[in-house]
Amino acid sequence: MQLGLVGLGKMGFNMRERIRRAGHEVVGYDRNPEVTDTASLAELVDRLEAPRVVWVMVPSGDITRNTITELSGLLSAGDLVIEGGNSRFTDDKVNADLLGEKGIRYVDAGVSGGVWGLENGYGLMVGGAAEDVELAQPIFDALRPEGPREEGFAHAGPVGAGHFAKMVHNGIEYGLMQAYAEGFELLAASDLVENVPETIKAWQRGTVVRSWLLDLLVRALDSDPELDDLRGHVEDSGEGRWTVEEAINHAVPAPVISAALFARFASRQPDSPAMRAVAALRNQFGGHSVVSAGPSSGTGSTQS
Amino acid sequence: MQLGLVGLGKMGFNMRERIRRAGHEVVGYDRNPEVTDTASLAELVDRLEAPRVVWVMVPSGDITRNTITELSGLLSAGDLVIEGGNSRFTDDKVNADLLGEKGIRYVDAGVSGGVWGLENGYGLMVGGAAEDVELAQPIFDALRPEGPREEGFAHAGPVGAGHFAKMVHNGIEYGLMQAYAEGFELLAASDLVENVPETIKAWQRGTVVRSWLLDLLVRALDSDPELDDLRGHVEDSGEGRWTVEEAINHAVPAPVISAALFARFASRQPDSPAMRAVAALRNQFGGHSVVSAGPSSGTGSTQS
Amino acid sequence: MQLGLVGLGKMGFNMRERIRRAGHEVVGYDRNPEVTDTASLAELVDRLEAPRVVWVMVPSGDITRNTITELSGLLSAGDLVIEGGNSRFTDDKVNADLLGEKGIRYVDAGVSGGVWGLENGYGLMVGGAAEDVELAQPIFDALRPEGPREEGFAHAGPVGAGHFAKMVHNGIEYGLMQAYAEGFELLAASDLVENVPETIKAWQRGTVVRSWLLDLLVRALDSDPELDDLRGHVEDSGEGRWTVEEAINHAVPAPVISAALFARFASRQPDSPAMRAVAALRNQFGGHSVVSAGPSSGTGSTQS
Amino acid sequence: MQLGLVGLGKMGFNMRERIRRAGHEVVGYDRNPEVTDTASLAELVDRLEAPRVVWVMVPSGDITRNTITELSGLLSAGDLVIEGGNSRFTDDKVNADLLGEKGIRYVDAGVSGGVWGLENGYGLMVGGAAEDVELAQPIFDALRPEGPREEGFAHAGPVGAGHFAKMVHNGIEYGLMQAYAEGFELLAASDLVENVPETIKAWQRGTVVRSWLLDLLVRALDSDPELDDLRGHVEDSGEGRWTVEEAINHAVPAPVISAALFARFASRQPDSPAMRAVAALRNQFGGHSVVSAGPSSGTGSTQS
């Protein structure tokens, strides 16, 4: 089938390739002339036959909204837009309504897999009406991994459900990564375990903690056994925050996911204001400006 | 080669089978007459040729220590004991010294994989002297999963390192399980995601969170889609506690692993004393016995 | 001076009394005829001389918004509305704009102290223009505790700052309460400390942890030494949630405040879905439906 | 009465002064000749009449144990040693047994208050036999704050109970400090609250969060309004660690106290190994060495 694909960055570029390998026709648009197939969104729309299916894969936020808005002026009733970026699920209802005014259909898709998706396929979670999802199923089937469809693709619910599921997926991912990271640090701190990379490598088969993330950690340790080519300064990209916020909205305890999120925040603070406050309180116990203690070889520190 | 195997419970029973399938001779001992191969530890020792290799796979704690002690009286210098139970790594030095007085060698082994290990193989982390590990390598190779040895077996370091590595492995496992669990609860709490089991099933291929634990969660949801045949009452078996204690000993922050441990503690409390204290404090804000507020339709609750 | 006071619930009722004791004239309105001074908001407004000052002390959310809206139709340019409920700071801008269209001024006030405020005074944090705060200063001075003004009253910033400060105050409160609660539970769990209430009572003077909350805990233990007249089921009222959300918005790590919030969520779950998921995963390790282990007296539990 | 006091550091120096002010005779010993009253422990013992009471106030660990051991050779049956340092409660049984062999009595005392204790008095929690505590009661009364004895002094239980109670007290203290610290950081991060020190100062009276620690925070902010004369690098002194370990031993959830402890650990890490592991995993998603994505203006970051 035909697909219009807007956004040919790290994700979209590879997705175009994977969909083409599956035998479909992809018309891509990107403002970067080196990768684009068309000169404009309008040209992209022109080159597709109705009912058109256009996948939007651009940065979440304003760029996505602007692209949706522009498409609403170019597409026709019955066409379908799939929004596959890292958007917050609350954006989907707005997008769907915006397009729905013109009779344009809307499906949101959470896409997981990173650049590995080109070879491995992408895990997909989509939200929308059953008939709209069905229209794009050949594309989803091209993108998802080999194997049973239900192990790499889910129609999670109505519009928004795809991004909601992807949000939770990423929240879990934060927790998983932090769990491995704490274990790595403890192994590295121990005198007993002499070869940390080898020990972690041995977890790849047979153990309870084996996973794709573990494979990636082994891969990282292969080239940098103490991970000292890196700084422990970790960004977050939205989904972790949204997961905790939704947990709060639903009164769901999320101690692990929030701890993982806060560890990232803390990793970016060269000097924590909160810990300066704790330090200040400890200094106050000493009360040096108030009480002049005699010099002594006794208890060096003041008891709180 | 020959192996003596003490303890034929859920783990030992399957391990005997797997080792036999690999062509080795296993003499098993268990006090349960239905599964044992020998009538006593003494007989087990008699049936092995020196240098004997005896794997101890009994409950950690006193039973393990008693078994080691009994073996120290039966084995000879140059024999090897492998302790494969869920013991704390701090026990290994004591065991090794106890046996070492008689010239008996000692290796500790962390074994992961549960009952699935019979078919999948067991992930192994061992601690001890290189020559002692080498002596038992055929047994380790029989137990570990197919594939490259280094992906399912590690000689982690000296005596104790195997159990230390296994302890950290299990600490990570606590964190991983809790991360998936929080995600499951949030999906279930959402109105948007209509089919939670299908959505989680779709994470098995292509996604970042794919793992063996995820496969097990999918398996559990297959037979009980809302997990309501179970109670949310979760035991812990020692390694999670020890991991947090070691993290504290090494000043390693472990917010995720500790949160997972505390969630288990809390799950077993029908009525938390701490939360009664919080409730008591909130009641005190209301100060009913002190201040008699007029009946009213105004702000129903007192502001703190 | 004159004050209109809308809402004579637990908070407003006592506040009217405290302000009157300070010699001011308070015209109160509540829909409860037993406590109200006027039959309607309109009558309340009529009984005040311009520039009128009207304090709104009704439940946050729709009731507050509706009251503000109704007042906007009754008050005149130059009058001042003080919103003192437990509102989210993000509501204040909306309220101020709504009233500002009519030239009506707006100040938000965070009020702390519970019913104890009648006798002790209320801690106040207000947001708004300096001249608007100044207009109501006599009322703030009547409400705040004895002692230096700056120790019980702050003009925290522009509109919204009062409720923001109160939100953070309550977030801290969550953390403080949980810290005492964990300590209480640990003391109660210990065999060594034979008299928990006496031990906690002894923290009231001289120690680092002395506080008003500690005094309240002592008071609760005086009448219920094991706190077993209560259930460990704790509500939350919004500010804790908002504090964590704002922490996330500002990338501020808030591990303690969020842990306290999640402990409340968990306290209200008779059976946690997340912990059912953890239990399900542990059961899967046992794999009973797949692998039939022989009965045994060996290792009772399967190792993960 | 007479008291021997060993250790005249920050704590002991002030305690000697406070006890003397109450009219008792204190013979102090410190190896620092500028503050000591006697040349040796032996001389200190000689100067006291039986039954002697000797308070040990030296750094916990080996120095305390050595002092106790030395005293066991100098004191006589019926004498009493009070160990008031920051010792782990598990040391007390050992100390008591060591002295008990000679018929020397033993009481452990948790002492809170820092250098402020000289003026304010010290909060005291003691463990031991009732008659032993009674013998030293005049000293405890001299040290504790003014006011009812039970608000600043508790006989918490048998030997060890005093240090156990003090351990929990300090664990709570960790949680309280972190709660204030998180609130401080959030206020400072906000644009709305224009004057953070003034806002916090206003919490001192009337609010729910008023406390001595809050007073200390106000004091710190008075001289350093943004706390930027300090580094956010916070030590921990044992009790926080022990509290979490005891919580684990008793299966008591301690999410807040542990979070406060881990925040201190993290504050001392210039570059967290765990967060380097998280960063490494995120890099692996990008898979730069494996997959060469085309240059693009599309989605800049790879989706996980």
Side-chain angles (χ1 to χ4, degrees):
Chain A
M1 67 178 281
Q2 278 188 317
L3 179 75
L5 178 54
V6 182
L8 300 167
K10 282 189 189 173
M11 289 295 288
F13 186 89
N14 283 338
M15 289 165 65
R16 177 174 64 178
E17 176 64 17
R18 186 168 173 95
I19 299 167
R20 282 179 175 165
R21 288 184 191 171
H24 301 292
E25 180 190 345
V26 184
V27 181
Y29 171 71
D30 196 287
R31 54 181 182 159
N32 176 356
E34 295 184 39
V35 296
T36 193
D37 300 321
T38 60
S40 67
L41 265 189
E43 185 189 329
L44 176 143
V45 170
D46 278 349
R47 285 175 53 180
L48 300 174
E49 289 168 32
R52 299 172 192 86
V53 180
V54 179
W55 189 299
V56 177
M57 205 66 191
V58 297
S60 61
D62 289 348
I63 300 182
T64 291
R65 179 62 42 83
N66 294 343
T67 304
I68 299 279
T69 304
E70 192 174 349
L71 283 170
S72 76
L74 296 168
L75 294 172
S76 308
D79 289 347
L80 170 67
V81 170
I82 302 170
E83 206 284 85
N86 266 333
S87 303
R88 191 165 188 167
F89 74 95
T90 46
D91 289 345
D92 292 311
K93 181 72 167 56
V94 182
N95 292 340
D97 288 349
L98 191 157
L99 292 165
E101 290 175 12
K102 307 281 178 75
I104 304 165
R105 304 188 274 171
Y106 182 83
V107 162
D108 60 287
V111 181
S112 181
V115 293
W116 300 82
L118 174 59
E119 300 304 329
N120 296 347
Y122 300 89
L124 299 174
M125 302 135 253
V126 308
E131 61 195 17
D132 300 342
V133 172
E134 198 175 348
L135 177 62
Q137 191 68 54
I139 300 301
F140 296 140
D141 285 339
L143 286 170
R144 69 169 174 81
E146 305 298 304
R149 179 189 286 168
E150 66 270 21
E151 296 185 3
F153 169 87
H155 179 193
V159 165
H163 278 131
F164 191 96
K166 179 55 164 43
M167 174 194 78
V168 175
H169 166 280
N170 281 34
I172 291 171
E173 178 190 310
Y174 275 55
L176 303 181
M177 289 166 80
Q178 187 71 22
Y180 287 117
E182 292 176 13
F184 164 74
E185 181 170 336
L186 181 51
L187 284 180
S190 157
D191 293 329
L192 268 179
V193 174
E194 290 174 341
N195 197 322
V196 173
E198 273 189 22
T199 299
I200 292 176
K201 190 186 201 76
W203 290 343
Q204 289 186 279
R205 294 174 186 261
T207 71
V208 174
V209 304
R210 64 191 191 262
S211 72
W212 189 60
L213 277 167
L214 181 71
D215 295 341
L216 292 184
L217 181 57
V218 168
R219 209 167 165 279
L221 290 164
D222 276 347
S223 60
D224 182 11
E226 302 190 350
L227 300 180
D228 47 18
D229 294 346
L230 290 158
R231 293 279 60 80
H233 183 280
V234 187
E235 298 298 329
D236 72 288
S237 57
E239 292 91 348
R241 300 180 180 210
W242 304 333
T243 303
V244 177
E245 288 173 14
E246 282 309 300
I248 290 173
N249 286 345
H250 289 86
V252 166
V256 158
I257 296 174
S258 60
L261 179 65
F262 292 142
R264 293 194 182 189
F265 290 171
S267 81
R268 305 198 299 257
Q269 298 185 308
D271 191 51
S272 155
M275 300 318 290
R276 292 208 307 270
V278 174
L281 286 170
R282 293 187 91 233
N283 273 5
Q284 289 291 329
F285 296 159
H288 302 297
S289 57
V290 200
V291 181
S292 162
S296 163
S297 55
T299 301
S301 63
T302 307
Q303 282 168 238
S304 60
Chain B
M1 65 177 281
Q2 278 188 318
L3 180 74
L5 178 54
V6 183
L8 300 168
K10 282 189 189 172
M11 289 295 288
F13 187 89
N14 284 338
M15 288 165 66
R16 178 174 61 177
E17 177 63 17
R18 186 169 172 95
I19 299 167
R20 283 179 175 163
R21 288 185 192 171
H24 300 292
E25 180 191 344
V26 184
V27 182
Y29 170 71
D30 196 286
R31 54 183 181 159
N32 177 355
E34 294 184 39
V35 297
T36 193
D37 301 321
T38 59
S40 67
L41 267 189
E43 186 188 329
L44 176 141
V45 170
D46 277 350
R47 286 175 53 181
L48 300 174
E49 289 169 31
R52 301 172 190 86
V53 179
V54 180
W55 189 299
V56 177
M57 204 67 191
V58 298
S60 62
D62 289 348
I63 301 183
T64 291
R65 177 61 43 82
N66 294 343
T67 304
I68 299 280
T69 304
E70 193 175 348
L71 284 171
S72 75
L74 297 168
L75 294 173
S76 308
D79 289 347
L80 170 67
V81 171
I82 302 170
E83 208 284 85
N86 266 333
S87 303
R88 192 165 189 168
F89 74 94
T90 46
D91 289 344
D92 291 313
K93 180 73 166 56
V94 183
N95 292 340
D97 288 350
L98 191 156
L99 293 165
E101 290 175 11
K102 307 283 180 71
I104 304 166
R105 304 188 275 171
Y106 182 83
V107 162
D108 59 288
V111 181
S112 181
V115 295
W116 300 82
L118 174 58
E119 300 305 329
N120 296 345
Y122 300 89
L124 300 174
M125 301 136 253
V126 308
E131 60 194 18
D132 300 340
V133 172
E134 197 175 350
L135 176 62
Q137 191 68 52
I139 301 301
F140 297 138
D141 285 340
L143 287 170
R144 69 168 175 81
E146 305 297 304
R149 178 187 287 168
E150 65 270 22
E151 296 185 4
F153 169 87
H155 179 194
V159 165
H163 278 131
F164 192 96
K166 179 58 165 41
M167 174 193 78
V168 175
H169 166 281
N170 281 33
I172 292 171
E173 180 190 308
Y174 275 55
L176 302 181
M177 289 166 80
Q178 187 69 23
Y180 286 118
E182 291 177 13
F184 164 75
E185 181 169 336
L186 182 51
L187 284 180
S190 158
D191 294 328
L192 267 179
V193 174
E194 292 175 341
N195 197 321
V196 172
E198 274 189 21
T199 300
I200 292 175
K201 192 185 199 76
W203 290 344
Q204 289 187 277
R205 293 174 187 263
T207 71
V208 173
V209 303
R210 65 190 190 261
S211 72
W212 189 61
L213 277 167
L214 181 72
D215 294 341
L216 292 183
L217 181 57
V218 168
R219 209 167 167 278
L221 290 165
D222 275 347
S223 59
D224 182 11
E226 301 190 350
L227 300 181
D228 46 19
D229 295 346
L230 289 159
R231 295 279 62 77
H233 183 280
V234 187
E235 298 298 330
D236 72 286
S237 57
E239 291 90 348
R241 299 181 181 210
W242 304 333
T243 304
V244 177
E245 288 173 13
E246 282 309 300
I248 290 173
N249 285 346
H250 290 87
V252 167
V256 158
I257 296 174
S258 61
L261 178 66
F262 292 142
R264 293 194 180 189
F265 289 172
S267 81
R268 305 198 300 256
Q269 297 184 308
D271 191 51
S272 155
M275 300 319 289
R276 293 208 306 272
V278 174
L281 286 170
R282 294 187 89 232
N283 273 6
Q284 289 292 329
F285 296 161
H288 302 298
S289 57
V290 201
V291 182
S292 162
S296 163
S297 56
T299 301
S301 62
T302 308
Q303 282 168 238
S304 58
Chain C
M1 66 177 281
Q2 278 189 317
L3 180 75
L5 178 54
V6 182
L8 300 167
K10 281 189 189 173
M11 289 296 288
F13 186 90
N14 283 338
M15 288 166 64
R16 177 174 63 179
E17 177 63 17
R18 187 170 172 95
I19 299 168
R20 282 180 176 164
R21 288 185 191 172
H24 300 292
E25 179 190 345
V26 184
V27 182
Y29 171 71
D30 196 287
R31 53 181 184 161
N32 176 356
E34 295 185 39
V35 296
T36 193
D37 300 321
T38 60
S40 67
L41 265 190
E43 185 188 327
L44 177 142
V45 170
D46 277 350
R47 285 176 53 180
L48 301 173
E49 288 169 32
R52 300 172 190 85
V53 180
V54 179
W55 189 299
V56 177
M57 204 67 191
V58 298
S60 62
D62 289 347
I63 301 182
T64 291
R65 179 61 44 81
N66 293 344
T67 304
I68 299 280
T69 305
E70 193 176 348
L71 283 171
S72 75
L74 297 168
L75 294 172
S76 309
D79 290 347
L80 171 67
V81 170
I82 302 170
E83 208 284 83
N86 265 334
S87 303
R88 193 166 187 166
F89 75 94
T90 46
D91 289 346
D92 291 312
K93 181 72 169 54
V94 183
N95 291 339
D97 288 349
L98 191 156
L99 293 165
E101 290 175 11
K102 306 284 179 73
I104 304 166
R105 303 187 274 171
Y106 182 84
V107 162
D108 59 288
V111 181
S112 180
V115 295
W116 300 82
L118 174 58
E119 300 304 329
N120 296 345
Y122 300 88
L124 299 174
M125 303 135 252
V126 308
E131 60 195 18
D132 300 342
V133 172
E134 198 177 348
L135 178 60
Q137 191 68 53
I139 300 301
F140 296 139
D141 286 339
L143 287 170
R144 70 169 173 81
E146 305 297 305
R149 178 188 287 168
E150 65 270 22
E151 296 186 4
F153 169 86
H155 180 193
V159 165
H163 278 131
F164 191 96
K166 179 58 166 40
M167 174 193 77
V168 175
H169 166 281
N170 281 33
I172 292 171
E173 180 191 308
Y174 276 55
L176 302 181
M177 289 166 80
Q178 187 70 24
Y180 286 117
E182 292 177 13
F184 165 75
E185 181 169 336
L186 182 51
L187 284 181
S190 158
D191 294 329
L192 267 181
V193 174
E194 291 174 341
N195 197 322
V196 172
E198 274 188 22
T199 300
I200 292 176
K201 191 186 200 75
W203 290 344
Q204 289 187 280
R205 293 173 187 263
T207 72
V208 173
V209 304
R210 64 191 192 261
S211 71
W212 189 61
L213 277 168
L214 180 72
D215 294 342
L216 292 183
L217 182 56
V218 168
R219 209 167 166 278
L221 290 166
D222 275 348
S223 59
D224 183 10
E226 301 190 350
L227 299 181
D228 46 18
D229 295 346
L230 289 159
R231 294 279 63 76
H233 184 279
V234 187
E235 299 297 331
D236 72 286
S237 56
E239 290 91 349
R241 299 180 181 210
W242 304 333
T243 303
V244 178
E245 288 173 14
E246 282 309 300
I248 290 173
N249 286 345
H250 289 87
V252 167
V256 158
I257 295 174
S258 61
L261 178 66
F262 292 142
R264 293 193 180 190
F265 290 171
S267 81
R268 305 198 301 256
Q269 298 184 308
D271 191 52
S272 155
M275 300 319 289
R276 292 207 307 271
V278 175
L281 285 170
R282 292 186 91 231
N283 274 5
Q284 289 292 328
F285 296 159
H288 302 298
S289 58
V290 201
V291 181
S292 163
S296 163
S297 55
T299 302
S301 62
T302 307
Q303 283 169 236
S304 59
Chain D
M1 66 178 280
Q2 278 189 316
L3 179 74
L5 178 53
V6 182
L8 300 166
K10 282 189 188 173
M11 289 295 288
F13 186 89
N14 284 337
M15 289 166 66
R16 177 174 63 178
E17 176 64 16
R18 187 169 172 94
I19 298 167
R20 283 180 175 164
R21 287 185 192 172
H24 300 293
E25 180 190 343
V26 183
V27 182
Y29 171 71
D30 196 286
R31 56 182 179 158
N32 176 354
E34 294 184 39
V35 296
T36 193
D37 301 321
T38 60
S40 67
L41 265 189
E43 185 189 326
L44 177 143
V45 170
D46 278 348
R47 285 175 55 179
L48 300 174
E49 290 168 31
R52 300 172 191 86
V53 180
V54 178
W55 188 300
V56 177
M57 204 65 192
V58 297
S60 62
D62 289 347
I63 300 182
T64 291
R65 178 61 44 82
N66 294 343
T67 304
I68 299 279
T69 304
E70 193 175 348
L71 283 170
S72 76
L74 297 168
L75 294 172
S76 308
D79 290 347
L80 171 65
V81 170
I82 301 169
E83 206 284 84
N86 267 333
S87 302
R88 192 165 189 167
F89 73 96
T90 46
D91 289 345
D92 291 312
K93 180 73 167 54
V94 182
N95 291 340
D97 287 349
L98 190 157
L99 293 165
E101 289 175 12
K102 306 282 180 74
I104 304 165
R105 304 188 274 171
Y106 182 83
V107 162
D108 59 288
V111 181
S112 181
V115 295
W116 301 82
L118 174 59
E119 301 303 330
N120 296 346
Y122 300 88
L124 300 174
M125 301 135 254
V126 308
E131 60 195 18
D132 299 341
V133 171
E134 197 175 347
L135 177 62
Q137 190 69 52
I139 300 301
F140 297 140
D141 285 340
L143 286 170
R144 70 169 174 79
E146 305 296 305
R149 179 188 285 168
E150 66 270 21
E151 296 186 3
F153 170 86
H155 179 193
V159 164
H163 279 130
F164 191 96
K166 179 57 165 39
M167 174 194 78
V168 175
H169 165 282
N170 281 35
I172 291 171
E173 179 190 309
Y174 276 54
L176 303 181
M177 289 166 80
Q178 187 70 23
Y180 286 117
E182 292 177 13
F184 165 75
E185 181 170 336
L186 182 51
L187 285 179
S190 158
D191 293 330
L192 268 178
V193 174
E194 290 175 341
N195 197 323
V196 173
E198 274 187 22
T199 299
I200 291 176
K201 191 185 200 77
W203 289 344
Q204 289 187 280
R205 294 175 186 260
T207 70
V208 173
V209 303
R210 65 190 191 262
S211 72
W212 188 62
L213 277 167
L214 181 72
D215 294 341
L216 292 184
L217 182 57
V218 168
R219 206 166 169 281
L221 290 164
D222 275 348
S223 59
D224 182 11
E226 302 190 350
L227 300 180
D228 47 17
D229 293 347
L230 290 158
R231 293 281 62 77
H233 183 279
V234 187
E235 298 297 330
D236 72 288
S237 57
E239 291 91 348
R241 299 181 181 210
W242 304 333
T243 303
V244 177
E245 287 173 13
E246 283 308 300
I248 290 173
N249 286 345
H250 290 87
V252 167
V256 157
I257 295 174
S258 60
L261 178 65
F262 292 142
R264 293 194 182 190
F265 289 171
S267 81
R268 305 198 298 256
Q269 297 184 307
D271 191 51
S272 155
M275 300 318 291
R276 292 208 306 272
V278 175
L281 286 170
R282 294 187 91 232
N283 272 7
Q284 289 292 328
F285 297 162
H288 301 298
S289 58
V290 201
V291 182
S292 163
S296 163
S297 56
T299 301
S301 62
T302 307
Q303 283 169 238
S304 60

